[in-house]
Structures are given as C-alpha cells and as structure tokens.
C-alpha cells in the first residue's frame, strides 16, 4: 500500500501555536512567506515523481491564486483546510459551515477545482466536534483527514479512534493521522513537530511500525516548517520549543522520507483502499 504525502498550506502566521499572539484581523499586515517554501516542496516532489495532497487554506487561495494554480498544474490534489484557520473547538457549527463554504469558493476561484477532502486546523475534529462530519457530508465532501488517534496532545486527538481508514458515517470517509503502536500505546508520528523533534533514524522506525502493520502512512508538513528565516514571535517557553525546533533540518528529513518510502495523494490512497 502506498502512503500519503500531505501539505497543510498556510502561511507562518496562521499557525494555531501563534493564535494568542497574532490576530486573524492582522494577517494582511504581516510579511507573507508561503510561496518560497511551497515552491521548494513542489520541486522536491517533482524530483521524486511524487503526487501529494495540498490542504489549502482559503485565505491563502484568495491572496496567492497563482500558487494554487501551480500546485494544480503540477498534478497534485487540492483539498480544503478551511478559510480562517479557526480551531473547531472554538467555533460553532454555523460558523464552521460558513467558513468551509468560503474556503471552497476561494479554492474554486483560484484554480477551478472543487475540493473533495478536508482537514481541520490543528486536527480539531475531536469528540466534542464530531458534528463537523454532518456538515462535511452536507457540503459534498468525500473524505476528512482530521482525526488523530492519540490522547497525548493537549489540543487534539480521539484516543480510541480507529487507526485505519474508516467511515464515520455513510458517504464520508475518515483518513486518520498515523500513530505507531508500541506497548499498546498510540504514538503519533504523522509529521510536523514529531518529524522535527526526533532524529531521523528513530522517526523512520515509527513509520516502519505503521507500514509493517499494513496501514498507509499519512504524512503532513506545513511550508513554514522548512523556513528557518521566518519572523520569530515571543511565545511561552514550551510552545516556543515546540514551534521553532529544528526548522533548518526538516527539509532534509522530508527528502529522506521520499527516498525511503513510496508516497502519493490521499485521494489515490483512498482509491487503492476501496479497490483493495
């Protein structure tokens, strides 16, 4: 089974780690840096003949339509990451639906593609926000990839969620983020900070644990995670460590993953799963 390579396409100031320091209303006043690292990722994917899924933030699609068009022309899947990067745990179902419709419209304006997939900001489809599945189905989405089957993170996770692709309700598929299973514990290893923090040889062992179990490995990264020159925001100590650690070495680790494992888009993984 192939594995899925996914990018959560947002600018450096969109991260939920900065939500207490940078307001959404101020985004337009900040230096946009999403293009450079995204183009770098596109070149890397082309080098290894890999197609990926880009979960595009609608706000980014409205301001960088040429970048979204470039991603589509390169043959990658375009999916939705919402519009304003509001965590589902802090909004109402009504706001979520409006934000999601706005994101779909922005993506369609940018590249003419209606997204079939969705990923919540900071994986915040959790037990208290499962109402999001009803809205995703109502709006015609085919799949979601927001559930992290772990209970070790303070902001997200459904500890007893399935580790494999499943259907939370008829007509909608869930592609959960990947966890290795060690000593009956789910150890998150889908990418992001987990990739940045661990030495590659240890991280590869976790990925092998997923692959050898017969599950597709679901990888994600943000463009800002390969941009060590991005502006720094003063954060509480632990959050700063989590956000800024090893930005300079992440790109090299991603390339090693592409050398060691076979990746494709999430839509292709789902198609393979359904055929199988």
């Amino acid at each position: 089974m192939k594995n899925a390579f996914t990018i959560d396409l947002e600018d450096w100031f969109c991260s939920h780690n900065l939500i207490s320091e940078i307001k959404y209303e101020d985004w337009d006043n900040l230096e946009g840096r999403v293009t450079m690292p995204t183009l770098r990722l596109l070149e890397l994917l082309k080098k290894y003949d890999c197609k990926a899924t880009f979960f595009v933030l609608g706000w980014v699609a409205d301001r960088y339509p040429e970048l979204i068009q470039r991603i589509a022309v390169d043959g990658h899947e375009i999916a939705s990451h919402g519009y304003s990067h509001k965590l589902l745990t802090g909004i109402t179902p009504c706001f979520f639906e409006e934000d999601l419709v706005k994101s779909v419209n922005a993506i369609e304006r940018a590249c003419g593609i209606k997204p079939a997939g969705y990923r919540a900001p900071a994986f915040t489809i959790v037990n208290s926000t499962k109402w999001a599945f009803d809205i995703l189905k109502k709006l015609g989405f085919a799949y979601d990839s927001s559930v992290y089957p772990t209970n070790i993170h303070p902001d997200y996770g459904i500890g007893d969620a399935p580790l494999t692709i499943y259907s939370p309700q008829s007509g909608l598929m869930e592609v959960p983020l990947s966890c290795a299973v060690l000593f009956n514990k789910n150890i998150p290893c889908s990418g992001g900070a987990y990739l940045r923090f661990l030495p590659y040889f240890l991280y590869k062992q976790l990925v092998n644990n997923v692959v050898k179990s017969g599950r597709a490995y679901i990888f994600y990264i943000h463009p800002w995670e390969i941009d060590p020159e991005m502006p720094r925001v003063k954060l509480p100590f632990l959050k700063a460590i989590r956000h800024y650690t090893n930005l300079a070495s992440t790109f090299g680790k991603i390339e090693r993953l592409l050398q060691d494992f076979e990746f494709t888009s999430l839509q292709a993984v789902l198609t393979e799963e359904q055929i199988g």
Side-chain angles (χ1 to χ4, degrees):
M1 178 176 287
K2 290 183 180 179
N3 309 293
F5 193 108
T6 73
I7 295 96
D8 292 355
L9 192 68
E10 60 194 59
D11 219 321
W12 67 271
F13 45 77
C14 304
S15 171
H16 77 284
N17 288 329
L18 308 182
I19 198 168
S20 62
E21 312 298 326
I22 298 177
K23 295 181 173 61
Y24 171 76
E25 292 75 19
D26 295 331
W27 284 6
D28 275 315
N29 300 321
L30 298 169
E31 176 195 3
R33 297 181 60 88
V34 70
T35 298
M36 181 277 293
T38 302
L39 292 177
R40 196 176 177 204
L41 286 169
L42 285 171
E43 289 304 312
L44 183 65
L45 292 167
K46 183 178 292 185
K47 178 179 178 180
Y48 290 95
D49 193 26
C50 175
K51 300 305 180 189
T53 296
F54 284 74
F55 288 98
V56 176
L57 199 66
W59 187 93
V60 171
D62 269 343
R63 284 152 183 83
Y64 301 92
E66 298 87 356
L67 181 61
I68 312 308
Q69 292 161 19
R70 165 69 187 275
I71 294 167
V73 167
D74 279 6
H76 301 291
E77 180 188 6
I78 305 290
S80 172
H81 197 35
Y83 191 90
S84 59
H85 210 264
K86 302 289 187 184
L87 306 190
L88 272 62
T89 45
I91 60 176
T92 65
C94 182
F95 182 96
F96 172 69
E97 183 170 348
E98 292 173 355
D99 188 82
L100 192 50
V101 169
K102 192 175 179 182
S103 84
V104 170
N105 292 339
I107 290 168
E108 287 192 289
R109 279 194 301 272
C111 65
I113 293 171
K114 183 177 182 180
Y118 171 75
R119 174 170 290 156
F123 315 117
T124 47
I125 292 186
V126 296
N127 281 321
S128 64
T129 59
K130 287 182 177 177
W131 44 257
F133 291 135
D134 293 326
I135 296 170
L136 288 167
K137 182 179 177 182
K138 173 184 174 183
L139 296 180
F141 282 84
Y143 75 88
D144 173 72
S145 183
S146 305
V147 173
Y148 222 137
T150 181
N151 56 12
I152 71 171
H153 197 282
D155 299 324
Y156 59 73
I158 300 177
D160 59 354
L163 294 169
T164 56
I165 297 170
Y166 66 100
S167 178
Q169 60 176 255
S170 176
L172 183 70
M173 300 302 296
E174 174 62 39
V175 186
L177 283 300
S178 292
C179 291
V181 180
L182 298 173
F183 307 107
N184 293 318
K185 298 289 186 182
N186 293 353
I187 310 299
C189 63
S190 249
Y194 305 106
L195 173 73
R196 288 190 284 112
F197 268 80
L198 291 175
Y200 182 75
F201 76 93
L202 287 178
Y203 190 82
K204 182 180 176 182
Q205 294 307 309
L206 296 177
V207 177
N208 274 324
N209 178 285
V210 174
V211 172
K212 289 178 179 178
S213 75
R215 291 179 279 136
Y217 167 63
I218 312 302
F219 174 74
Y220 78 91
I221 201 72
H222 303 89
W224 58 262
E225 291 185 278
I226 61 167
D227 183 11
E229 303 303 318
M230 69 177 172
R232 300 295 175 106
V233 175
K234 188 174 182 180
L235 297 170
F237 177 74
L238 290 178
K239 188 169 283 190
I241 293 295
R242 189 168 77 209
H243 194 67
Y244 294 119
T245 294
N246 293 335
L247 297 176
S249 62
T250 304
F251 187 83
K253 290 180 179 179
I254 296 171
E255 182 159 19
R256 293 184 71 180
L257 275 174
L258 287 166
Q259 292 168 348
D260 290 338
F261 300 94
E262 188 175 3
F263 288 93
T264 186
S265 68
L266 262 179
Q267 189 65 65
V269 166
L270 272 171
T271 300
E272 186 176 279
E273 171 90 0
Q274 290 161 356
I275 292 173

